[in-house]
Amino acid sequence: MNRYFPTSLPPLRPVLRRHLLLLQHGPVVLRPLQRSDLSAWRHHYRQVERSSNLPDHFDAEAHFLCGVQRSQLQHDNDQLLLGSFDAAGELLDQLSLRLHCAHARSVELRWLHAAGCPQRRQLHASLQALCTFLFEQVGIRRLFVLLPPDAGSALVTTLQAIGFEREGLLRDHHLDIEGWQDRQLYALTAPAWLQRQSAEN
C-alpha cells in the first residue's frame, strides 16, 4: 500500500466549459464568462486599468477571450473564469480559479482587481457561493488567495469572516513593472469550511 497517495479519495468532479454553471448566494450570481460578456468586461476592465499599473505590452482583451475559450477546472494548471454579477446582471468582477494540482486539490483564487467588489456584502456572497461549490460539490481540498501587503482591510476582514487564515508572507513572489513584490498568503481548507458550516447550522 502506498501511504503517500491515498486511494480512498472520491474523484474530483471536473468543471468544464459545456456545463451550465450558475451559483447564487444573496444578491450575487457567479457564472462562467462568455464571449457575449466582452462589452461588459471591457467597461469593468477600464475601471480597473485606471487604478492599476499594468505593463504596456499586456493585451488584456486577447487574454480574456483566450481564457474564456479554455475555461475549465479538471487538470493541473487549468483555469476557470467566472463573472460575479448583481441581480440586474451587471458585471461586478472577474474571478479566476487556477487548479494548481488536481491530485492535491489545491486551487488559487484571483480577482481581476482586489477592489473589484467594493461592497463587502457582494464579496462575502461571492465567496460563500464559491466555497460551497468547490468544497461540497467539486471536491477541492484547499482554496488560497495571494494578496499584496497593502491589501485593503475590508478584503482581509471578509476573507477571515468566511474562514480564511493568514498562513504567511511570500517574499518577492510577484514581479510587476515596479519590481519584485511580496504577497500575503490566506487559505481555507475543506475540513475547516465544513466544520464552520456545521457550527453555523
Side-chain angles (χ1 to χ4, degrees), residues 3-15:
R3 61 184 178 149
Y4 298 106
F5 296 98
T7 57
S8 59
L9 286 173
L12 188 70
R13 175 188 168 192
V15 185

Side-chain angles (χ1 to χ4, degrees), residues 12-13 15 72-80 82 95-110 130-131 133-135 138-146 164 185-189:
L12 188 70
R13 175 188 168 192
V15 185
Q72 67 174 29
L73 212 60
Q74 183 176 21
H75 306 290
D76 293 358
N77 294 313
D78 276 354
Q79 285 202 142
L80 180 68
L82 298 176
L95 289 78
S96 174
L97 299 172
R98 181 178 166 216
L99 183 59
H100 274 236
C101 177
H103 179 75
R105 294 152 188 249
S106 179
V107 168
E108 179 183 0
L109 168 62
R110 293 182 185 177
L130 198 57
C131 290
F133 176 65
L134 292 176
F135 292 137
V138 179
I140 294 303
R141 176 75 178 186
R142 175 181 167 84
L143 181 62
F144 68 94
V145 181
L146 297 175
F164 282 80
L185 172 63
Y186 284 84
L188 176 62
T189 62

Side-chain angles (χ1 to χ4, degrees), residues 127-183:
L127 287 169
Q128 190 76 30
L130 198 57
C131 290
T132 301
F133 176 65
L134 292 176
F135 292 137
E136 299 178 22
Q137 296 182 41
V138 179
I140 294 303
R141 176 75 178 186
R142 175 181 167 84
L143 181 62
F144 68 94
V145 181
L146 297 175
L147 300 177
D150 60 350
S153 59
L155 175 59
V156 171
T157 302
T158 305
L159 286 170
Q160 291 173 333
I162 290 288
F164 282 80
E165 294 183 7
R166 187 177 190 271
E167 294 188 342
L169 182 68
L170 306 180
R171 299 284 184 190
D172 290 351
H173 183 79
H174 178 75
L175 178 63
D176 60 21
I177 58 174
E178 295 178 354
W180 293 100
Q181 309 292 331
D182 298 342
R183 286 294 180 264

